[in-house]
Amino acid sequence: MTFRLRAARAFALLVGFFLMGVVLLSAMAVLDWLLMTRLFTARAAWLEGMVVTITVLLAAAIVRGMFAFLRAGRLGPVVDAVPVPPEDQPELWEQIRVAAEAAGQRPPDELYLDAEVNAGVAEHSRLLGLRPGRRRMHLGLPLLAGLTVPQLRAVLAHEFGHYANLDTRLGGVTMRGRKAVVHTVEAFQRGGTRFHFVIGSLYVGYARMFLRTSQSVARHQEFAADRMAARYAGRDTTAAALRLQPVLAGAYAHYRETYAGMGRSQGALPPVGEVHGGFRRLLAARTGERLAELSAGQRPPRPHPYDSHPPTAQRIARIEELPTDERPSDERPSEPADGPAALTLLRDTDRVFAALEEHTLSQETALLRRRSWDDLVLARAVEDADHWSRPLRTAVARALRASAQSTEGTVPAPRQAPAEDAGTAGNDPLPGLEEILDAIDRGLLWMAVADRMPKPHQASRLTGPSARNFIRPKIFDGLAGLIHLRLVESGHATPDIAWSGQPGLLLPEPWEKGMDDAIDAAVADTPDTAPLRALLIGPDGAST
């Protein structure tokens, strides 16, 4: 079946989706008329009244769905993005206008910059796009931060290519019709009554058939938009931009969790403009494979069975099958390495990122105090170090108390510490680093301290080497946390934002080289605290 026939079939099914409501309303109207005029009897009046009531309620649900279908595609207000008039960012608007012209389309009437790694054009369409309306474009600032200008041209041309109707106008109508169908089904799901559910189940079944039938049309339109981008921006540039987008999405997710959200537990935010703008610093420090590593461990989103987008690998393969550009070299589109960063198209980038925060942060979040990156890293490092060390300090305190009670002849405390009580040790102050090392030298680590470390119920029965190997990493982390706290307190550890790595503390060189080996010796089966004590009394040891 040719693409035109598939598009015509999908369009017929789309019309049928709306006509189904008309048919149902007509059938219920006829039924009610028959009940009221032909079949009415005094003996069954209550039954007929109940049937009429049910049909009216069902009709109300159907009418709501039909209005939702007709209203689909209307543009609502935008609250989480920065509006950009042409006079504010003329260079960016010029790129948008040129890309729209290359696709044979009119440019958008509105432009918004948001906090997504994405781009898109929406139209306030009427009659599923048969009558054009106001257009609105969304561009993600994180996307601009990671693309070059030539790659951005490819993205823009692809988005306008959706409206180019390269094969048939019915293809574009079908694309918008898919969104209208989904919008209508969601309206039924939000109805909240049993009648909405009953009618909605009919529409859901029809919607599934339509989405499955029209999927090939939608994917054909995506491939056509990719070809448009390749003709305008160049084959290799388009493939590079498409390949880079999932990498940027993974890197941005890592940035938001690791950097932008660093002060969440402290009730603090990065400096003004850095909540989203700090992503630029991560991209500057990581390139190529190091950037791709950030998304390597993330599970890709599960593809929707009716997704209009073909797999990215398939799209890239199709683009790379296109012929190379045969135009003269001075007329060819720029390749990725030849272009400046897309953010250079913006004027006063810092102001734009700050404005984006005003539109994306809730009122409560926006009132949080602002702290420098170094202050955020230091506070988070101290918080993590305290979290690592507290279970060990609590276990040592209990072991020391039990040892003292045994010496005095009293009943010792229970050996196993419940996980929920790991942060307390009676009313006694928790021991410090030297006291813990003294307890290790007294032979309390295995197993007086180890048995009092919190562990899951499944591991509570482990004994001997198995128990030691299970608990040893937690004791290692506890000692490392105490050392970090000591070095921060003495001023020997400094914050390291580490855009190319993991934010944390920068330790003195002797500690960077020897700390792990020294802690390993202290938590060995035969503990030896001498290497760790030697570091503590060294010039950068901050011993007390």
Side-chain angles (χ1 to χ4, degrees):
M1 183 181 294
T2 65
F3 171 74
R4 292 180 181 274
L5 288 177
R6 292 198 304 270
R9 181 184 62 178
F11 180 75
L13 288 175
L14 181 62
V15 174
F17 186 80
F18 182 80
L19 291 179
M20 182 171 64
V22 176
V23 171
L24 289 173
L25 288 175
S26 301
M28 286 187 289
V30 170
L31 176 61
D32 290 347
W33 179 78
L34 289 174
L35 288 174
M36 299 298 295
T37 60
R38 304 289 184 180
L39 304 178
F40 180 81
T41 61
R43 184 174 300 177
W46 66 272
L47 177 62
E48 294 165 351
M50 183 176 65
V51 172
V52 171
T53 302
I54 292 175
T55 56
V56 169
L57 293 174
L58 290 175
I62 294 173
V63 170
R64 175 177 177 174
M66 294 175 68
F67 272 104
F69 183 80
L70 293 175
R71 291 175 61 87
R74 295 195 176 188
L75 299 179
V78 179
V79 296
D80 58 352
V82 180
V84 182
E87 58 271 17
D88 282 1
Q89 303 292 346
E91 291 81 6
L92 179 59
W93 268 96
E94 179 61 22
Q95 292 291 335
I96 293 172
R97 291 192 185 97
V98 173
E101 182 180 351
Q105 293 296 299
R106 55 188 175 85
D109 303 286
E110 304 169 4
L111 172 62
Y112 287 86
L113 298 177
D114 58 32
E116 303 295 330
V117 186
N118 204 356
V121 178
E123 186 173 85
H124 189 97
S125 57
R126 290 166 287 182
L127 297 179
L128 299 179
L130 292 175
R131 295 184 62 187
R134 188 174 79 257
R135 281 185 179 176
R136 174 186 295 165
M137 176 164 234
H138 282 261
L139 279 177
L141 277 177
L143 181 67
L144 295 181
L147 296 181
T148 63
V149 172
Q151 290 168 347
L152 176 62
R153 291 174 185 149
V155 172
L156 295 174
H158 173 90
E159 296 304 325
F160 287 114
H162 288 152
Y163 293 85
N165 303 317
L166 300 177
D167 298 279
T168 171
R169 189 168 183 81
L170 293 182
V173 174
T174 301
M175 289 284 287
R176 290 183 282 276
R178 288 171 63 89
K179 298 179 182 179
V181 167
V182 172
H183 177 77
T184 304
V185 171
E186 290 175 347
F188 278 115
Q189 293 174 342
R190 292 192 299 267
T193 67
R194 190 175 299 274
F195 299 103
H196 283 89
F197 176 80
V198 172
I199 295 299
S201 62
L202 297 176
Y203 278 88
V204 167
Y206 194 103
R208 287 175 177 171
M209 178 183 66
F210 170 73
L211 293 174
R212 184 169 55 249
T213 302
S214 62
Q215 188 175 45
S216 62
V217 178
R219 294 194 168 189
H220 185 94
Q221 292 290 99
E222 285 292 332
F223 287 131
D226 286 339
R227 291 194 298 271
M228 168 64 72
R231 282 197 293 268
Y232 170 62
R235 182 192 67 180
D236 295 339
T237 300
T238 303
L242 188 56
R243 191 179 290 111
L244 187 57
Q245 288 181 53
V247 175
L248 291 175
Y252 188 59
H254 172 82
Y255 165 78
R256 293 188 62 179
E257 178 63 28
T258 305
Y259 293 92
M262 191 185 308
R264 187 181 301 116
S265 59
Q266 309 156 32
L269 290 174
V272 175
E274 292 290 296
V275 174
H276 307 293
F279 186 52
R280 297 169 292 175
R281 307 181 189 278
L282 183 142
L283 293 176
R286 294 174 179 262
T287 56
E289 295 182 359
R290 298 202 64 187
L291 190 63
E293 290 173 358
L294 297 179
S295 58
Q298 299 179 8
R299 178 178 297 179
R302 186 176 181 179
H304 194 278
Y306 308 120
D307 191 359
S308 63
H309 288 78
T312 301
Q314 185 178 358
R315 293 174 61 190
I316 293 174
R318 289 281 191 97
I319 292 171
E320 291 178 340
E321 290 173 358
L322 297 174
T324 57
D325 198 330
E326 298 179 355
R327 287 176 290 177
S329 58
D330 59 341
E331 298 180 8
R332 294 180 187 176
S334 300
E335 290 303 318
D338 299 332
L343 273 184
T344 59
L345 296 172
L346 296 181
R347 297 183 178 183
D348 199 353
T349 308
D350 293 338
R351 178 182 60 81
V352 175
F353 275 106
L356 182 60
E357 291 181 8
E358 296 176 0
H359 287 79
T360 56
L361 298 179
S362 65
Q363 292 184 353
E364 181 180 354
T365 303
L367 294 176
L368 297 178
R369 67 184 186 277
R370 302 281 184 161
R371 305 184 69 173
S372 68
W373 284 116
D374 283 347
D375 288 344
L376 287 172
V377 172
L378 187 61
R380 181 59 181 268
V382 170
E383 181 182 358
D384 289 344
D386 182 73
H387 176 72
W388 300 336
S389 65
R390 187 162 293 272
L392 176 61
R393 299 174 71 189
T394 302
V396 171
R398 287 179 171 146
L400 291 174
R401 188 167 63 249
S403 177
Q405 291 171 346
S406 297
T407 302
E408 297 170 359
T410 58
V411 179
R415 294 175 65 84
Q416 176 59 38
E420 61 269 19
D421 295 337
T424 62
N427 295 322
D428 299 332
L430 295 178
L433 180 56
E434 280 76 9
E435 293 175 274
I436 292 176
L437 295 181
D438 291 341
I440 293 175
D441 288 340
R442 290 173 52 187
L444 297 179
L445 180 59
W446 312 114
M447 293 292 295
V449 172
D451 281 348
R452 289 171 171 81
M453 291 286 290
K455 59 178 72 72
H457 175 72
Q458 295 84 345
S460 60
R461 296 184 180 181
L462 294 177
T463 60
S466 297
R468 296 185 183 188
N469 292 334
F470 180 85
I471 209 67
R472 200 187 312 272
K474 298 181 182 299
I475 298 175
F476 183 103
D477 291 343
L479 287 174
L482 284 167
I483 293 169
H484 285 184
L485 291 173
R486 174 66 60 82
L487 293 175
V488 168
E489 183 181 357
S490 64
H492 288 84
T494 56
D496 181 16
I497 186 63
W499 295 109
S500 60
Q502 191 74 11
L505 294 176
L506 188 62
L507 306 182
E509 184 175 354
W511 285 100
E512 291 282 1
K513 293 181 177 180
M515 184 179 76
D516 287 355
D517 291 339
I519 298 179
D520 282 335
V523 301
D525 289 345
T526 305
D528 180 12
T529 63
L532 194 51
R533 292 182 186 274
L535 285 173
L536 286 170
I537 64 175
D540 296 312
S543 61
T544 57

